[in-house]
Amino acid sequence: MDFDAMFTAQLDALKKEGNYRIFAELERQCGAFPKAKSHDAQTPEEVTVWCSNDYLGMGQHPVVRQAMKDAIDACGTGAGGTRNISGTAHHHLVLERELADLHGKEAALLFTSGYVSNWAALSTLGARLPDAVILSDELNHASMIEGIRHSRAKKVIWRHNDPEDLDRKLAALPANSPKIVAFESVYSMDGDISPMAEIVEVAEKHGAMTYLDEVHAVGLYGPRGGGVSEERGLAHRITLIEGTLGKAYGCMGGYVTGSAAMCDFIRSFASGFIFTTALPPAVAAAATASIQHLKASQDERQAQRAQVARLRSLLDRAGIPHMENDSHIIPVMIKDPVKCRMLADILMRDYGIYVQPINYPTVPKGTERLRFTPGPLHSDADIDHLVRALTVLWKQCALAHAVA
């Protein structure tokens, strides 16, 4: 049996649909973010990154870099094992205390990524709580979906950001079954923010646990960067808050926060925690420094919001359609996978602008887009250059402009 032929046939079909992913080979330039060196001979040597999840440029921040260097000099590189077998460093416990404080919780638990923290926590809760039912927003991230699936718990899907539908679904369940309402604060593809207060009220009405994914909000929202739940004064009413260290904090890793009993429960039963090598102490030290800095500093958040508002305003003036939302994420709608890929390629090749096309299965077919994430280190000139390039390409590709 020719397995390679079977692989190739499916890859060819993916390319024909316009959904084949091509990775840009970049080299981040320390101190120059969002500029990066491109290793593709068909593109300018220096490009501007417009789709990074390092939302505030903290991966370049001198305080964060120095914390990582100091920890490497003190401890070396890797953790040396799983958390259970020689891999728990003092840096991990310091970071967990910092995260618990960030969200006003008793405890926190570190994972190697936000994907793993969602997968491990939801699968453990669903599997270990007898007769549990997990109610999942229909647009939840793949990591949440995989965790729910792996748990083998009963799953109920409720309409996106619709507390009334959630209320109906909860009311139809047995009163004595453990219920977990899983949702996000900022949804990364559309950039919309959940009606959190209403969702929490519905969950409380039915005695349900709330599981909130804040990965695209931590560091960015709230007076200390605690996310939308902090900004809206709701963190104390949410059972579990999950987040990442790989986006606004500019490092790597994921975590959950909540009661001491719940975090110990997940620590003791989650295979995704038990059987994997711990984060390097240097990464934990850098993340701690980043969180501490953003708890105190408003500069990065304010500068980011100014650049988000500027790009939105100029796109409106140019008639280029983008999704309206209250977040920092600006999806420019293309609605065609081939054109989306083509536009991204031309922007990179002719203008030195790197933005990754977002196609199926990340988003539904017919909703393909370019997803821009302006940050505090994008200059006014960077934004002007981007809008000029998009304006030219819009005319060339005969794409529909936004309704005036």
Side-chain angles (χ1 to χ4, degrees):
M1 187 172 288
D2 189 344
F3 288 103
D4 277 353
M6 296 167 71
F7 302 148
T8 301
Q10 294 198 36
L11 289 169
D12 288 344
L14 199 64
K15 292 174 183 176
K16 187 176 180 180
E17 294 165 0
N19 292 322
Y20 181 75
R21 289 176 169 87
I22 299 169
F23 298 161
E25 185 182 353
L26 303 177
E27 186 176 336
R28 282 159 63 97
Q29 296 175 294
C30 191
F33 186 78
K35 306 298 181 186
K37 180 180 179 181
S38 172
H39 285 271
D40 185 341
Q42 305 303 313
T43 67
E45 185 174 357
E46 183 181 81
V47 299
T48 303
V49 179
W50 275 101
C51 53
S52 176
N53 284 343
D54 187 357
Y55 291 132
L56 298 176
M58 293 302 292
Q60 308 280 311
H61 197 284
V63 169
V64 179
R65 287 163 37 213
Q66 193 60 50
M68 183 175 278
K69 291 175 188 175
D70 290 345
I72 289 172
D73 290 343
C75 305
T77 53
T82 65
R83 287 289 296 271
N84 184 48
I85 304 176
S86 85
T88 294
H90 174 64
H91 296 85
H92 296 132
L93 300 184
V94 170
L95 175 54
E96 286 173 340
R97 287 195 290 270
E98 199 70 51
L99 289 164
D101 173 77
L102 176 68
H103 295 295
K105 300 298 184 186
E106 289 180 345
L109 189 65
L110 274 174
F111 291 85
T112 50
S113 73
Y115 189 103
V116 174
S117 56
N118 266 335
W119 179 88
L122 279 166
S123 64
T124 302
L125 292 167
R128 302 288 308 192
L129 295 176
D131 302 316
V133 181
I134 303 178
L135 297 100
S136 178
D137 183 290
E138 67 180 337
L139 293 188
N140 276 342
H141 189 263
S143 58
M144 301 173 78
I145 294 167
E146 286 295 326
I148 295 166
R149 182 180 294 134
H150 188 260
S151 77
R152 298 187 178 178
K154 181 179 178 181
K155 175 180 67 174
V156 175
I157 306 297
W158 49 285
R159 282 203 298 267
H160 178 55
N161 282 346
D162 188 340
E164 292 182 1
D165 188 52
L166 174 62
D167 191 18
R168 287 190 293 270
K169 299 284 173 62
L170 280 165
L173 295 172
N176 60 348
S177 65
K179 293 173 275 288
I180 303 167
V181 174
F183 66 108
E184 302 181 34
S185 57
V186 178
Y187 286 82
S188 62
M189 289 302 111
D190 289 354
D192 54 330
I193 299 177
S194 63
M196 195 175 294
E198 292 89 338
I199 292 170
V200 170
E201 285 165 10
V202 168
E204 288 174 345
K205 171 184 169 183
H206 294 277
M209 170 183 170
T210 40
Y211 183 110
L212 174 64
D213 176 319
E214 286 263 37
V215 296
H216 290 277
V218 290
L220 299 167
Y221 299 87
R224 301 193 312 154
V228 176
S229 57
E230 183 193 30
E231 182 179 69
R232 299 185 179 178
L234 295 166
H236 66 290
R237 295 171 63 185
I238 294 167
T239 318
L240 183 152
I241 297 175
E242 183 267 351
T244 185
L245 306 169
K247 293 181 171 58
Y249 292 123
C251 297
M252 178 186 175
Y255 64 87
V256 297
T257 64
S259 70
M262 185 183 65
C263 289
D264 196 20
F265 177 81
I266 295 169
R267 180 191 74 89
S268 299
F269 292 111
S271 62
F273 177 85
I274 295 168
F275 297 108
T276 192
T277 301
L279 283 174
V283 173
T288 300
S290 185
I291 293 165
Q292 289 173 341
H293 177 85
L294 289 173
K295 280 180 177 177
S297 173
Q298 302 299 322
D299 294 346
E300 291 81 8
R301 287 189 281 274
Q302 289 173 354
Q304 185 213 34
R305 284 169 191 158
Q307 296 308 73
V308 169
R310 189 170 195 278
L311 178 54
R312 284 192 185 281
S313 175
L314 291 180
L315 289 173
D316 284 339
R317 193 181 305 172
I320 294 172
H322 57 97
M323 273 193 175
E324 292 295 333
N325 59 53
D326 295 322
S327 79
H328 58 284
I329 295 167
I330 305 178
V332 170
M333 305 308 292
I334 310 301
K335 301 182 180 180
D336 179 280
V338 175
K339 282 187 177 180
C340 201
R341 175 79 260 172
M342 179 184 69
L343 283 170
D345 289 345
I346 296 171
L347 284 168
M348 185 78 149
R349 185 191 69 215
D350 295 350
Y351 297 94
I353 291 168
Y354 171 52
V355 59
Q356 191 68 17
I358 307 294
N359 290 346
Y360 179 83
T362 307
V363 295
K365 291 179 180 179
T367 70
E368 293 81 9
R369 68 203 61 185
L370 301 175
R371 176 183 174 275
F372 295 94
T373 55
L377 300 178
H378 284 103
S379 68
D380 288 354
D382 290 334
I383 294 174
D384 293 344
H385 178 60
L386 170 62
V387 175
R388 280 196 300 268
L390 286 173
T391 302
V392 170
L393 293 182
W394 234 250
K395 292 175 181 175
Q396 290 177 352
C397 295
L399 290 165
H401 278 50
V403 176

